Amino acid sequence: MIAKMKKLTFLIYHKEYESFLQDLREVGVVHIVERKSGEIEGQLQGFIQKRNSYKALLQNMLRYADQVDPKVEKSLSGDEIINRYESIQAMIQASQQRLVTVQKDLAQMKVWGQFDWARIRQLEEMGWLMNFYTCAERQFDESWEEAYHAITIHREGGRVYFVTVTKEPVELDAEKVVLPSMSLLQLEAEKSKIEAEIQEHMENLRQFCNATVSTCKYVAARLQEDLDMEQVKLNGERLAEGSVLLLEGWVPEENEQTVLDMLESRSIYYEVRGAEKEDNAPIKLKNNAFVRMYEVLTKMYGMPDYGEFDPTPILAPFFSLFFAFCMGDAGYGLILIALGFLLKKKMSKSMAGMMNLVITLGIFTTVFGAVLGTFFGVSLFDVELPQWMKGLMITGKIDGTNYDKQMLLALIIGVVHICLAMTVKAVCSTVRYGFKASLSAWGWLLLVVGFICTGGLSFFEVISAEVTNWAFIVIGGISAIGIYLLNDFHRNIFANIGAGVWDTYNMATGLLGDTLSYIRLYALGLAGGMLGGVFNQLAFMVNDAAGPVLGWIFCGLILVFGHALNIAMSCLSAFVHPLRLTFVEYFKNSGYEGKGEAYKPFSVMKSNNE
């Protein structure tokens, strides 16, 4: 549900403004109304740029830190940390550039092999000139060997690498090569030296990041607090030639008294009133522990408006059911439960909440997988179990038809889900705009739900055919009044009829497509179960063929790898497709827009280091 909000309006003397904001931040429950203007953006640009630089620094430091010291060491300032980090990175980059140059020279020298440049200089002192050349093999002239004492050093890739030893400079039809001043052995030693330097710099960087990343987080948190303070300062509207500032904010009704006590202690003039639908108040979701785990899914789409309903209480059970249907295997559910408990102990407090969601989805999967009769790809219906347990399973075909029971179950769930969405839309529309403005939504709800209920009662012969016909006529007639005649009291009758016809076309095509979309639940569950069964068959075929020892080894490997792969793929599809059914089919039919603003109280940032 959405927590009720109260709007606060403050009038503060300009000399007390900053101290008042400090007290307001200590209370930590007031959401400040922001004023949108270019002036605010211009004044905050420096803070924002600095904040972004710290965020980038933290991301880079966390790449290298592997044993973070949780103790905050405040001997270094934030700017000193940035300078030191950039200094180490500059040394690493300089060494890497030198390494690239040495590697290039080394690749060039490997063609010529190891020789001593001192001996070359001795020849020059004796009056002999040694030059290095390369050319294509077809261009090499054998007469150069006698005329210029040409000696072939290496042949590779259709090219010849050779040297000449002459008394006088010569001009040959070949490319003259300028070699590095270091020998091959010297270059290899230099390469090893630079690589050792890089390793030393990287180790220094790692140790530096381990020692200072917590400090950087602390400084970044303080910087964010300063940025928040500057933003709030600028949100005050100056009145009476700047001597008084007007500030507006929102507070949850449950925290109202805390704020009022602070205001009374400071003798600040204020006004408090309840939030109205058109106020666009910030949204704070308030749900029980089970529903709270699914709030992250609601936030992925968008927070509700203050006048809307919180979709999370309906999203939670249906998403869990959809997930379990797509997984469709009780064994996989047990794996998710075990994985959730295992990772929960190793993760931070925020991620532990996600593991609670994994455990919950695992429980739903285990129970629903047992109902669908699948355990690690094995059909439980074909195993020796008590008959009462098999009677609880939904497997096989409907008697006398070729329709699968699980496919029918998916369609029934889809119909219920869509009908519930239409009910929410009608109720929410009535609450927000009044009953007269919601007659079209109520008409469609009566038509769809009434026809489904009447058809179901007729199918099971609860009511006679004559009663069914009259029920269809009465329901259709009453619904038509809301759909075609009273859908908008501000338009004439012909415009309403036209709009009703258009809505009829959209509903007829949309509802059918939306309902059929739920078949994906059946298809994904069936695919996962069949793939698990295939891995089982493959594993035991290998076991029979490979012998008693190797057979069981290969059988175990195939089972572990196959089911692990199947669980990973099933989890991905079991998350994405139920999310689509919720965001597209349910939210569309319930009229949910998700354009609300999340409640963000102005408060002191919580740091793990404090």
Side-chain angles (χ1 to χ4, degrees):
M1 60 177 292
I2 299 174
K4 292 184 177 180
M5 306 294 289
K6 290 292 188 73
K7 186 167 187 179
L8 297 168
T9 304
F10 312 103
L11 281 177
I12 313 104
Y13 183 53
H14 70 98
K15 292 184 178 180
E16 299 178 355
Y17 188 48
E18 189 165 346
S19 62
F20 167 73
L21 293 180
Q22 292 287 0
D23 291 344
L24 199 63
R25 180 162 64 177
E26 291 296 329
V27 174
V29 293
V30 178
H31 175 106
I32 303 298
V33 176
E34 294 186 8
R35 291 193 300 116
K36 307 293 183 181
S37 71
E39 177 190 1
I40 292 178
E41 294 179 1
Q43 294 184 24
L44 292 177
Q45 194 64 34
F47 274 99
I48 293 174
Q49 289 178 352
K50 194 170 184 179
R51 188 269 313 273
N52 291 341
S53 68
Y54 273 98
K55 288 177 65 176
L57 174 65
L58 268 174
Q59 290 177 354
N60 291 329
M61 292 181 72
L62 289 172
R63 288 166 48 199
Y64 300 106
D66 53 8
Q67 295 178 355
V68 178
D69 186 354
K71 183 180 178 181
V72 177
E73 180 58 53
K74 300 180 183 178
S75 59
L76 293 177
S77 67
D79 291 338
E80 289 172 335
I81 292 175
I82 291 180
N83 293 336
R84 178 58 179 158
Y85 177 85
E86 291 178 347
S87 174
I88 299 175
Q89 284 284 23
M91 289 188 290
I92 293 173
Q93 291 176 4
S95 297
Q96 289 175 338
Q97 290 174 356
R98 287 170 50 211
L99 180 62
V100 170
T101 302
V102 170
Q103 287 175 332
K104 183 179 179 181
D105 292 344
L106 193 59
Q108 186 179 17
M109 286 296 291
K110 283 183 178 179
V111 175
W112 302 95
Q114 169 60 27
F115 61 88
D116 190 353
W117 279 105
R119 303 297 296 272
I120 304 297
R121 286 190 288 271
Q122 288 178 359
L123 284 174
E124 291 176 353
E125 292 173 358
M126 296 171 61
W128 293 94
L129 300 177
M130 179 176 285
N131 293 300
F132 299 81
Y133 294 93
T134 179
C135 67
E137 288 188 359
R138 65 177 182 276
Q139 293 179 332
F140 184 76
D141 190 343
E142 300 292 341
S143 64
W144 294 346
E145 296 179 354
E146 183 175 349
Y148 308 114
H149 304 98
I151 302 172
T152 301
I153 304 299
H154 188 68
R155 293 176 183 268
E156 182 181 10
R159 298 191 68 81
V160 179
Y161 299 85
F162 64 96
V163 298
T164 61
V165 183
T166 59
K167 285 286 188 180
E168 300 293 336
V170 297
E171 294 292 335
L172 299 180
D173 186 16
E175 178 185 349
K176 193 171 183 178
V177 180
V178 179
L179 294 180
S181 59
M182 300 175 68
S183 68
L184 185 62
L185 288 177
Q186 289 173 326
L187 287 171
E188 289 177 343
E190 184 69 12
K191 176 175 176 289
S192 299
K193 177 183 175 182
I194 296 174
E195 288 176 341
E197 287 180 5
I198 294 175
Q199 286 295 112
E200 182 180 357
H201 292 328
M202 292 297 294
E203 179 62 22
N204 291 338
L205 180 63
R206 186 187 67 80
Q207 293 179 1
F208 176 75
C209 291
N210 286 340
T212 60
V213 68
S214 296
T215 306
C216 192
K217 288 181 180 179
Y218 175 85
V219 174
R222 301 287 77 77
L223 180 63
Q224 184 64 49
E225 283 189 354
D226 294 340
L227 176 61
D228 291 343
M229 176 62 78
E230 289 300 316
Q231 286 178 318
V232 172
K233 283 182 183 179
L234 294 169
N235 287 328
E237 182 180 354
R238 294 187 175 274
L239 304 175
E241 298 181 352
S243 60
V244 178
L245 290 102
L246 173 69
L247 188 68
E248 295 180 323
W250 296 94
V251 62
E253 194 175 73
E254 60 189 18
N255 303 119
E256 177 185 1
Q257 191 58 46
T258 304
V259 179
L260 296 183
D261 292 341
M262 185 274 291
L263 295 174
E264 292 294 339
S265 66
R266 291 188 57 94
S267 300
I268 296 292
Y269 176 79
Y270 65 91
E271 291 182 355
V272 184
R273 67 169 177 84
E276 299 176 358
K277 298 173 186 176
E278 60 272 11
D279 280 333
N280 195 26
I283 303 303
K284 179 183 179 182
L285 302 181
K286 184 180 179 181
N287 295 298
N288 58 43
F290 170 72
V291 176
R292 197 180 306 126
M293 294 185 295
Y294 297 82
E295 289 179 358
V296 62
L297 303 179
T298 299
K299 294 174 183 178
M300 287 175 61
Y301 187 87
M303 298 291 278
D305 288 332
Y306 193 72
E308 288 185 309
F309 291 158
D310 178 12
T312 317
I314 296 177
L315 182 153
F318 276 97
F319 183 86
S320 302
L321 180 62
F322 296 161
F323 184 93
F325 209 141
C326 290
M327 290 293 288
D329 192 294
Y332 292 173
L334 295 176
I335 294 295
L336 289 179
I337 295 172
L339 190 64
F341 278 112
L342 179 64
L343 296 179
K344 185 177 180 180
K345 298 178 180 179
K346 300 181 179 181
M347 290 191 171
S348 61
K349 185 177 180 180
S350 59
M351 290 302 297
M354 291 299 297
M355 291 304 103
N356 289 334
L357 178 59
V358 172
I359 294 170
T360 303
L361 294 176
I363 295 172
F364 272 85
T365 301
T366 302
V367 175
F368 202 75
V371 173
L372 297 181
T374 308
F375 186 84
F376 286 109
V378 177
S379 175
L380 296 177
F381 197 81
D382 298 330
V383 179
E384 293 185 4
L385 292 174
Q387 196 60 37
W388 67 269
M389 295 181 65
K390 292 184 178 181
L392 299 175
M393 298 179 187
I394 303 175
T395 59
K397 306 290 183 180
I398 300 174
D399 295 339
T401 69
N402 289 324
Y403 297 111
D404 196 289
K405 291 181 180 178
Q406 294 180 8
M407 183 180 70
L408 180 62
L409 177 62
L411 290 175
I412 292 174
I413 292 174
V415 170
V416 172
H417 200 219
I418 291 175
C419 289
L420 184 59
M422 296 178 68
T423 303
V424 170
K425 180 179 181 179
V427 173
C428 187
S429 179
T430 302
V431 172
R432 297 182 71 182
Y433 309 115
F435 182 72
K436 289 173 62 177
S438 310
L439 290 176
S440 178
W442 284 107
W444 281 113
L445 176 63
L446 176 62
L447 182 69
V448 173
V449 176
F451 275 20
I452 290 174
C453 293
T454 302
L457 293 174
S458 177
F459 178 79
F460 290 106
E461 299 181 352
V462 176
I463 58 177
S464 64
E466 184 178 359
V467 173
T468 301
N469 292 335
W470 277 107
F472 281 140
I473 293 172
V474 173
I475 292 172
I478 296 175
S479 300
I481 295 174
I483 295 171
Y484 296 103
L485 302 180
L486 303 178
N487 49 48
D488 192 336
F489 283 88
H490 302 290
R491 294 186 302 210
N492 62 57
I493 190 70
F494 298 104
N496 281 349
I497 292 174
V501 171
W502 178 249
D503 286 345
T504 301
Y505 169 76
N506 290 330
M507 292 293 288
T509 56
L511 285 178
L512 179 60
D514 293 344
T515 304
L516 293 177
S517 294
Y518 289 83
I519 294 181
R520 72 183 70 237
L521 300 174
Y522 161 72
L524 291 171
L526 180 64
M530 291 180 65
L531 189 58
V534 168
F535 283 122
N536 291 340
Q537 292 179 2
L538 180 62
F540 288 105
M541 285 173 59
V542 171
N543 178 42
D544 294 338
V549 179
L550 288 177
W552 282 111
I553 294 176
F554 287 122
C555 176
L557 291 175
I558 292 173
L559 288 175
V560 172
F561 175 78
H563 283 292
L565 179 63
N566 196 22
I567 289 173
M569 294 190 299
S570 296
C571 284
L572 179 62
S573 60
F575 177 79
V576 172
H577 291 286
L579 208 60
R580 182 196 181 280
L581 291 174
T582 301
F583 286 179
V584 178
E585 275 71 24
Y586 177 76
F587 283 169
K588 179 184 70 175
N589 287 290
S590 67
Y592 181 72
E593 297 178 355
K595 296 181 180 179
E597 179 184 5
Y599 166 71
K600 296 178 181 177
F602 177 51
S603 62
V604 177
M605 294 191 65
K606 302 299 181 183
S607 173
N608 296 331
N609 303 313
E610 299 181 341

